[in-house]
Amino acid sequence: MAELRAAGQSVGFVPTMGALHAGHCSLIDAARAECDAVVVSIFVNPTQFAPTEDLSQYPRPIEADLAACAECDVAVVFTPTPDEMYTDGAGGGLTTIAVAQLGEGLCGRSRPTHFDGVCTVVAKLLNLVGPDVLYLGQKDFQQAAILKRMVADLDFPVRVNVCPIVREASGLALSSRNVYLDEEIRKKFAPKIYECLQVLAKKISDSAPSGAELRDFADSFFAECTPVFELEYLELLDAETLKPPANKGRNRVLVIAGCFGKTRLIDNVLIECD
Ligand code: PAF
């Protein structure tokens, strides 16, 4: 990476936890289109998993990931171990980066330590890689909002480019966790998540339904998915502050999370102001 910088090449950086799919490839493509060289990190970051979560089961198809990176013309694939990344290995270090407020709601409610782990590892990766542009996926909307704020607050000399969600033909957002879904759920039920967002986004246009109204809508919309789907949240928020939308003339986002058994899926739709 130092050689790339020394050669004056602009560097686009795509941080990943591996199990690469077309969503990651779209980030790599975006980086290749804008920068001289692309760096991808593959690191299943232990500090963003709670002890009850799927760290040990998280898919790690490293050979396939390296082949995908080679095919996408990635200049450097950075695959550190927890011992190389952290002073205390999988335990992390004594220093943690926490972005206040933005991480408290949505996924932060069920995963209270998750975003501190994400921010800390991304800050470390930015220091190690030193990219010009950081590429993130819109699918992890809250993560992207938090990381953009961290970059701004801590003056990381990097531009953040949040790239659109890539979906299966059914509308299901691509995720490394989709492999956990059985065939029937993946084909029949999981696509309802995006369908719900689309129906609501059309209804919302200029109005702002209350949380209770959204919940009622979701209850009837997902009735046919009972008992396989458990809704965790469905909210309409200001796209930057992640607070309830207050002022007109600001982008809003509809965000959803729910579980099919142990598989937790998230999705969102941005509702841009005119
Ligand atoms: O989105 C992810 O895959 C991870 O949260 C990230 C940004 C690579 C940090 O570990």
Side-chain angles (χ1 to χ4, degrees):
M1 286 170 288
E3 293 92 67
L4 294 175
R5 286 197 300 270
Q9 302 225 312
S10 61
V11 174
F13 175 47
V14 183
T16 82
M17 298 207 300
L20 302 183
H21 51 63
H24 297 108
C25 296
S26 74
L27 301 182
I28 296 171
D29 288 346
R32 228 186 23 236
E34 289 188 328
C35 303
D36 297 324
V38 182
V39 175
V40 170
S41 63
I42 298 177
F43 179 61
V44 183
N45 173 33
T47 69
Q48 67 189 75
F49 289 78
T52 50
E53 292 178 348
D54 57 347
L55 174 62
S56 61
Q57 283 100 48
Y58 198 85
R60 291 167 169 84
I62 188 66
E63 295 305 327
D65 286 347
L66 293 176
C69 288
E71 205 163 297
C72 292
D73 205 13
V74 170
V76 177
V77 187
F78 181 46
T79 57
T81 63
D83 284 338
E84 286 162 342
M85 266 317 274
Y86 289 113
T87 324
D88 301 325
L94 295 181
T95 307
T96 297
I97 295 181
V99 175
Q101 297 178 16
L102 295 178
E104 284 163 13
L106 305 177
C107 296
R109 282 195 288 266
S110 61
R111 309 184 77 189
T113 56
H114 172 68
F115 291 116
D116 295 358
V118 170
C119 287
T120 306
V121 81
V122 172
K124 287 168 72 68
L125 289 166
L126 288 174
N127 284 337
L128 293 167
V129 175
D132 297 279
V133 191
L134 168 65
Y135 292 85
L136 300 170
Q138 186 197 316
K139 190 182 86 53
D140 297 297
F141 196 90
Q142 188 177 16
Q143 167 173 283
I146 289 170
L147 290 173
K148 276 196 294 188
R149 187 61 199 244
M150 177 191 83
V151 161
D153 283 353
L154 298 184
D155 303 310
F156 279 98
V158 69
R159 176 164 68 81
V160 181
N161 186 347
V162 181
C163 300
I165 299 176
V166 180
R167 300 180 180 280
E168 295 185 358
S170 67
L172 176 65
L174 294 194
S175 161
S176 304
R177 290 191 167 100
N178 289 354
V179 295
Y180 300 147
L181 299 170
D182 77 33
E183 202 54 17
E184 194 199 5
I185 289 187
R186 186 163 178 161
K187 293 252 152 69
K188 190 168 160 196
F189 295 115
K192 300 279 297 174
I193 292 179
Y194 181 49
E195 214 181 299
C196 170
L197 293 179
Q198 280 181 303
V199 173
L200 267 176
K202 271 202 195 110
K203 275 181 190 289
I204 283 170
S205 61
D206 226 28
S207 70
S210 68
E213 283 166 333
L214 286 177
R215 198 86 206 183
D216 286 350
F217 175 84
D219 283 348
S220 61
F221 191 88
F222 289 110
E224 67 176 280
C225 301
T226 312
V228 288
F229 181 65
E230 198 185 329
L231 181 69
E232 186 179 310
Y233 62 72
L234 171 63
E235 293 183 40
L236 177 68
L237 299 171
D238 180 291
E240 202 177 314
T241 62
L242 302 185
K243 289 187 176 154
N247 305 322
K248 286 198 168 166
R250 290 179 60 88
N251 292 341
R252 292 170 295 169
V253 64
L254 258 174
V255 279
I256 190 166
C259 289
F260 288 100
K262 286 196 172 131
T263 306
R264 186 170 178 280
L265 300 180
I266 56 174
D267 202 347
N268 65 81
V269 167
L270 193 59
I271 304 171
E272 289 181 279
C273 62
D274 306 321

